[in-house]
Amino acid sequence: MEQKILRFVELLRQNGVRVSLAEDLDSLQAVAAVGFSNPADFREALRATLVKRHIDEPTFDSLFNLYFRGLGGDLVEHLKATESALGFEDADLQNLIDALSQSVQELGVQLSELARQLLTADLGRLEQLLRQAARHVGLDAVERPFQEGRYAHMLAQHLGLSALAAELEELKKRLRGLIPSNDWEKVQKFIDLRLQDLTRAIKRLVRQELEKKEPTLRESERIDRLGEKSFYYLTEEEIRQMKEAVTKLAERLKNIVAVRKKRGKRGRFDIKDTLRKNLQYGGVPFRIEFDRRVKDKPQILVLCDVSDSVRNVSRFMLQFVYTLQDLYSRVRSFVFVSDLSEVTRLFEEQDIHAAIEQALSGQVVNVFAHSDFGRAFRIFHRDFLPAVNKKTTVIILGDARNNYNLPHEWTLKDIRQRAKQLIWLNPENRLTWGFGDSEMDRYLVYCDVVEECRNLNQLYRVIDRIVH
Amino acid sequence: MVSYASQPFSSIDEVIARFAAHKYICNRRIATVVYLASSLQKPILVEGPAGVGKTELAKVLAATVQCELIRLQCYEGLDEAKALYEWEYAKQLLYTQILKDKINEVVGGARSLREAVERIAREDNVFFSDRFILPRPLLRAITADRPTVLLVDEIDKADPEFEAFLLEVLSDFQVSVPELGTLKAKHIPLVVLTSNNAREMSDALKRRCLHLYIDFPSAAQELEIVQLKVPEIHPQLAEELVHFIQRVRQLDLKKVPSISETLDWARALVLLNAEALEQQLVEDTLNAVLKYEGDIRKAQEELKDFLSRRKTERQGRETDADKDLLH
């Protein structure tokens, strides 16, 4: 059994569940503690010791079923199918089996073990025989789907399937005279069907073994790869997954913020203050003072391009803007194409999906216009410049593709002068900046930080820096 | 010598039965983990959404095995001084001030500064002794004379550094205080750590723990819990309430109602003498379950749907009953 558990652990590892050696040992101890009498307890004992992340539980469940359930269920199912094919009720089948074995005894025929188990439907023993054969042909080694047929064939050979078929044929012939003709039809059919069941069981066994090998859900790996993929090439399904990834990143972000806040709270030992405070105790330092650092809360203004050219990107950007607004009290968000409009209220009141849908659907600004960064910046300059002060970080998300309109870079210069810093995140590859209608080169000079932000990992790094 | 607490449970079924006696309904999964924790002497890391009874599990465990519950509530910035032990600085200073004369006596005959320091050094274990140490929860759990249950609540709120420190304590059950030496546990405490998943715990910590994920209970289980904890509730109300809550949990809410909130609501409705969910009543008391305006609005829509469906169901049942009479 230990062997079996260890192999199961190996299987878990192959499927992306992290299990350490210590946990291996724990699981053996735990299984010893609960015993094998109750399968459910056995399963829970393994789960508690081996699976330490909730997201791994589905993987554990599916593998557990695959690995420990065995063939039993399938064999029963096959027998049921046979039963219904014959049009039998429960008792009828048992009667037929009893009658059949009695006739065989009367005939004095010595059946092979396999034939006997098959006809008496002793499923437990039958599975044992199958497993023995599987061990013998080394079914463990099956790895690829194309080997399925070969291994099934080897199993059949080892079990002596052709000999069995001949044996059953022979049996049928000899039974012919013994069994009343009205029952004969059914008996014959039963024997044929059982033989078919065996073939199906063999195939099922190979299939199961193969399924164990298939690395089914490598969730973590997939998300890692997703992190490196450019936003432009995402499919619908990936967009959905990406949302989950973004949420996870946001969670991490929250932690970072929390830790930083904490570090800021307690400052260094303050000698002056300590001496002053302890004058009342005659200079004996009963109370020790630390200087309290005041950390200013970040004020953020985000301008997000939602034009058609950056459609995929802006969705994630907005998701992050939304999260930022959740994290900090003083975030104002704007979206623009050629008009510019504030969405802070919208993001505050609506839940994330509804808010982003609305921002992208053209209800806030006309998203079907040609993007015009210059015009949008001028509107911002005219209406919202007073909102920018020495504590404000301004973040602009956009590709700077201006459709050859006037860039009005002087607006950025003004914003830059008033703001604490100005950050531009561009979803385009750095190499393409400044080509065609891209005005990135003009805008670049007025920004404190300019980052290419084409995938999740880059985005994460950037956000990390902003929070700093 | 470390003496292990005698095994408090002999089987999984016993865990379920004894927890039930303390009004805690636990499924087989929870019971298995508790049983394993007590027999393998391993900490349990309980994860799951807020309000599903993670903390309660530890409290009930302590009550069941009749041990003292020592609770360490984690928060941002929790450090060793707050979790393990602290020297009582002010008290030490106070003693030195009061004992000034005595100290003068000790130092009195010294001919050189070096000799004076030498003499003081000989006495310094007076000031770093049990008398001046202030034991915090972890140290208390370790040095307790009787077995204890240690609850480290909301470990995810603490910082990663603290987690690493906790690891050391949990793996060896010993603490080294530089001035006193190593303090070993007389009894290995039963440890329960809870986490709300605000942050992924480190693998090292997880490796040392048994993992338990508690999710929201099924409708049948929740009904059982409500009836156990609020026994005076009208059976029909209990059923409708649980049914409604289960549906509300399916909605996309900012904060999903937890079991404790279900119970609060049940108690509130019982106080108002309700026998079934009625529109007005629910709208007035919904803020016991939902804590955000947007959530309440969504739930109200769900409520309308729920009530109208129930109405048609009831009408259906009534017409069925009529038919039976006609026959």
Side-chain angles (χ1 to χ4, degrees):
Chain A
M1 197 61 205
E2 285 181 7
Q3 276 290 317
K4 205 152 185 210
I5 292 173
L6 292 183
R7 282 219 37 212
F8 177 63
V9 171
E10 191 53 39
L11 206 60
L12 283 176
R13 288 202 189 110
Q14 278 171 14
N15 284 283
V17 181
R18 281 187 305 231
V19 184
S20 72
L21 200 61
E23 284 162 333
D24 253 11
L25 299 174
D26 287 350
S27 74
L28 294 180
Q29 273 186 345
V31 167
V34 298
F36 300 103
S37 51
N38 186 338
D41 293 348
F42 174 67
R43 182 197 189 107
E44 294 313 328
L46 285 187
R47 186 204 301 277
T49 44
L50 295 175
V51 185
K52 303 293 168 80
R53 288 188 305 175
H54 182 48
I55 52 163
D56 286 335
E57 288 196 10
T59 317
F60 173 84
D61 282 335
S62 65
L63 285 175
F64 186 89
N65 282 337
L66 212 62
Y67 196 76
F68 286 109
R69 195 196 48 198
L71 271 180
D74 294 300
L75 292 179
V76 170
E77 230 166 73
H78 292 162
L79 194 64
K80 281 262 164 63
T82 304
E83 195 177 310
S84 61
L86 289 168
F88 274 175
E89 301 285 322
D90 275 345
D92 294 343
L93 185 70
Q94 200 50 49
N95 289 342
L96 182 114
I97 290 171
D98 291 345
L100 190 62
S101 53
Q102 208 177 347
S103 314
V104 169
Q105 247 173 21
E106 279 171 32
L107 273 175
V109 182
Q110 198 60 44
L111 285 175
S112 68
E113 189 177 11
L114 185 61
R116 206 165 55 237
Q117 310 308 353
L118 196 61
L119 292 185
T120 53
D122 183 347
L123 301 182
R125 185 79 193 107
L126 195 62
E127 182 168 355
Q128 264 181 358
L129 284 176
L130 279 168
R131 295 250 171 237
Q132 269 171 19
R135 244 194 312 274
H136 200 269
V137 301
L139 188 60
D140 290 0
V142 65
E143 259 176 2
R144 304 255 177 278
F146 64 80
Q147 294 172 317
E148 204 176 336
R150 193 163 73 90
Y151 274 96
H153 190 70
M154 270 159 67
L155 258 181
Q157 238 174 8
H158 189 262
L159 285 166
L161 210 59
S162 45
L164 181 71
E167 189 184 355
L168 291 179
E169 248 348 279
E170 179 66 26
L171 180 70
K172 272 200 285 192
K173 262 187 216 146
R174 298 187 60 173
L175 282 173
R176 181 91 176 93
L178 215 67
I179 288 176
S181 53
N182 51 343
D183 280 349
W184 173 241
E185 193 69 23
K186 299 245 163 177
V187 170
Q188 199 181 3
K189 205 171 168 193
F190 174 72
I191 295 176
D192 288 347
L193 282 173
R194 284 309 284 164
L195 193 60
Q196 275 177 28
D197 285 350
L198 182 63
T199 352
R200 273 161 66 192
I202 290 173
K203 279 186 186 150
R204 183 77 205 121
L205 185 65
V206 179
R207 181 81 235 155
Q208 254 188 20
E209 195 62 34
L210 201 64
E211 277 173 5
K212 283 183 205 168
K213 297 287 162 57
E214 265 172 23
T216 35
L217 316 134
R218 293 195 174 166
E219 198 75 38
S220 51
E221 252 177 54
R222 214 172 59 221
I223 286 184
D224 282 351
R225 251 188 330 188
L226 216 55
E228 288 298 333
K229 201 160 175 178
S230 168
F231 291 130
Y232 284 109
Y233 307 111
L234 293 176
T235 65
E236 283 285 322
E237 172 62 16
E238 281 171 332
I239 287 178
R240 200 187 54 72
Q241 289 170 8
M242 188 65 120
K243 275 183 191 160
E244 285 168 26
V246 168
T247 328
K248 267 184 205 155
L249 284 184
E251 282 294 330
R252 261 165 78 188
L253 199 67
K254 272 185 190 164
N255 289 326
I256 293 174
V257 176
V259 170
R260 289 206 179 118
K261 268 191 190 152
K262 170 232 149 189
R263 289 214 181 108
K265 211 160 59 188
R266 197 170 186 184
R268 278 191 309 195
F269 176 57
D270 187 338
I271 299 174
K272 267 194 299 183
D273 219 26
T274 306
L275 284 178
R276 193 178 316 125
K277 280 266 162 65
N278 285 298
L279 276 179
Q280 49 178 324
Y281 307 117
V284 179
F286 275 108
R287 281 163 67 186
I288 294 171
E289 292 298 321
F290 298 93
D291 46 78
R292 298 200 172 275
R293 259 181 257 159
V294 184
K295 234 197 159 191
D296 52 15
K297 283 185 186 170
Q299 287 183 18
I300 301 177
L301 284 178
V302 196
L303 278 71
C304 187
D305 179 8
V306 290
S307 67
D308 218 34
S309 58
V310 286
R311 202 179 178 78
N312 265 356
V313 191
S314 47
R315 186 174 292 272
F316 300 115
M317 296 297 183
L318 284 175
Q319 228 160 35
F320 251 106
V321 174
Y322 192 94
T323 330
L324 275 180
Q325 215 175 300
D326 251 9
L327 280 173
Y328 300 113
S329 44
R330 279 174 288 179
V331 178
R332 290 180 74 176
S333 325
F334 302 84
V335 292
F336 66 89
V337 178
S338 94
D339 283 328
L340 177 128
S341 173
E342 179 163 7
V343 288
T344 315
R345 283 294 295 277
L346 176 73
F347 279 18
E348 266 166 17
E349 284 164 5
Q350 302 280 340
D351 77 85
I352 184 159
H353 301 296
I356 290 173
E357 267 338 298
Q358 277 192 38
L360 290 177
S361 66
Q363 291 177 33
V364 187
V365 289
N366 180 7
V367 291
F368 304 107
H370 293 293
S371 28
D372 184 344
F373 281 71
R375 179 153 181 270
F377 290 159
R378 250 181 47 221
I379 296 174
F380 182 81
H381 190 265
R382 187 188 69 205
D383 296 344
F384 299 105
L385 196 62
V388 182
N389 60 39
K390 270 291 157 223
K391 285 181 183 168
T392 329
T393 301
V394 180
I395 306 172
I396 299 169
L397 310 162
D399 58 0
R401 298 241 164 242
N402 207 20
N403 296 308
Y404 303 105
N405 290 312
L406 283 175
H408 291 299
E409 60 266 36
W410 57 271
T411 51
L412 275 195
K413 190 180 167 195
D414 273 10
I415 295 171
R416 164 77 195 96
Q417 270 173 356
R418 295 183 63 110
K420 182 177 162 202
Q421 58 177 341
L422 178 60
I423 299 173
W424 190 304
L425 305 179
N426 193 328
E428 275 193 345
N429 196 323
R430 199 176 271 270
L431 296 171
T432 62
W433 293 1
F435 285 96
D437 59 348
S438 172
E439 301 286 357
M440 202 57 215
D441 287 348
R442 280 179 209 267
Y443 289 134
L444 205 135
V445 280
Y446 300 111
C447 302
D448 295 285
V449 180
V450 183
E451 289 287 345
E452 170 187 324
C453 181
R454 277 165 58 227
N455 57 43
L456 209 53
N457 289 350
Q458 281 175 347
L459 181 61
Y460 180 56
R461 276 198 292 276
V462 169
I463 296 288
D464 194 30
R465 202 167 312 147
I466 297 172
V467 176
H468 227 37
Chain B
M1 226 14 246
V2 175
S3 78
Y4 288 95
S6 55
Q7 275 223 12
F9 302 107
S10 65
S11 72
I12 298 170
D13 293 308
E14 196 195 327
V15 177
I16 296 181
R18 281 172 66 181
F19 270 48
H22 283 90
K23 294 200 171 184
Y24 190 91
I25 293 177
C26 64
N27 56 22
R28 207 150 177 99
R29 177 183 294 191
I30 298 177
T32 309
V33 175
V34 169
Y35 172 71
L36 282 176
S38 73
S39 55
L40 301 183
Q41 307 275 350
K42 275 188 161 294
I44 312 176
L45 172 62
V46 194
E47 288 187 313
V52 289
K54 297 188 293 290
T55 309
E56 193 65 20
L57 177 71
K59 287 185 185 164
V60 173
L61 179 62
T64 315
V65 297
Q66 293 177 338
C67 288
E68 189 196 349
L69 177 76
I70 297 178
R71 179 172 179 165
L72 172 64
Q73 176 70 46
C74 297
Y75 51 86
E76 277 166 35
L78 174 69
D79 53 10
E80 290 171 52
K82 292 277 159 44
L84 193 56
Y85 71 91
E86 203 169 18
W87 289 109
E88 270 186 290
Y89 172 72
K91 199 173 167 188
Q92 286 167 334
L93 211 60
L94 200 63
Y95 273 59
T96 39
Q97 291 297 306
I98 295 169
L99 299 176
K100 241 177 188 165
D101 299 339
K102 193 74 194 160
I103 292 169
N104 282 341
E105 233 171 73
V106 172
V107 189
R111 264 162 295 165
S112 68
L113 194 59
R114 180 184 299 272
E115 197 183 335
V117 170
E118 214 43 64
R119 284 191 194 176
I120 291 278
R122 245 178 277 147
E123 307 287 339
D124 71 351
N125 57 358
V126 172
F127 290 103
F128 290 100
S129 63
D130 289 348
R131 193 184 300 277
F132 297 105
I133 206 167
L134 196 66
R136 301 288 188 187
L138 284 180
L139 190 66
R140 265 175 53 213
I142 282 179
T143 53
D145 290 326
R146 301 189 52 230
T148 51
V149 173
L150 172 64
L151 166 63
V152 183
D153 213 1
E154 305 191 345
I155 172 81
D156 51 333
K157 298 263 165 58
D159 317 314
E161 298 93 332
F162 179 72
E163 208 182 304
F165 156 75
L166 196 62
L167 267 181
E168 187 194 324
V169 180
L170 290 186
S171 56
D172 302 337
F173 289 106
Q174 65 177 34
V175 171
S176 46
V177 181
E179 295 86 351
L180 294 182
T182 306
L183 301 173
K184 268 197 177 159
K186 295 183 190 126
H187 307 274
I188 302 269
L190 277 169
V191 185
V192 179
L193 304 116
T194 74
S195 154
N196 271 335
N197 267 336
R199 161 170 83 79
E200 184 90 359
M201 310 311 299
S202 77
D203 281 349
L205 182 75
K206 283 183 167 180
R207 195 161 58 230
R208 283 173 177 76
C209 300
L210 296 171
H211 186 255
L212 174 65
Y213 186 87
I214 306 184
D215 210 342
F216 290 119
S218 63
Q221 229 180 358
E222 189 163 22
L223 186 62
E224 210 179 324
I225 295 170
V226 169
Q227 277 166 346
L228 188 73
K229 294 270 184 181
V230 194
E232 59 275 22
I233 195 167
H234 193 279
Q236 191 201 340
L237 174 63
E239 204 165 308
E240 283 186 0
L241 179 105
V242 168
H243 196 61
F244 179 64
I245 289 276
Q246 293 267 342
R247 280 183 58 174
V248 167
R249 285 206 187 112
Q250 306 296 321
L251 299 175
D252 177 26
L253 298 180
K254 214 165 174 178
K255 168 156 187 346
V256 181
S258 65
I259 301 178
S260 50
E261 277 154 340
T262 310
L263 292 177
D264 284 349
W265 198 29
R267 286 194 192 106
L269 289 175
V270 165
L271 274 181
L272 295 172
N273 286 325
E275 291 193 350
L277 290 187
E278 300 302 339
Q279 171 115 24
Q280 192 55 44
L281 194 63
V282 175
E283 276 181 16
D284 291 346
T285 54
L286 209 53
N287 51 6
V289 206
L290 297 167
K291 309 293 158 75
Y292 289 96
E293 199 51 40
D295 288 359
I296 291 180
R297 231 175 294 135
K298 275 182 201 157
Q300 273 169 353
E301 271 162 40
E302 180 70 20
L303 175 71
K304 269 179 212 147
D305 185 39
F306 177 78
L307 288 176
S308 69
R309 197 172 295 180
R310 190 185 65 184
K311 210 170 176 185
T312 52
E313 252 173 44
R314 265 197 202 157
Q315 275 169 355
R317 223 179 293 152
E318 270 161 26
T319 49
D320 281 351
D322 287 349
K323 269 183 209 156
D324 285 347
L325 282 180
L326 286 175
H327 270 291

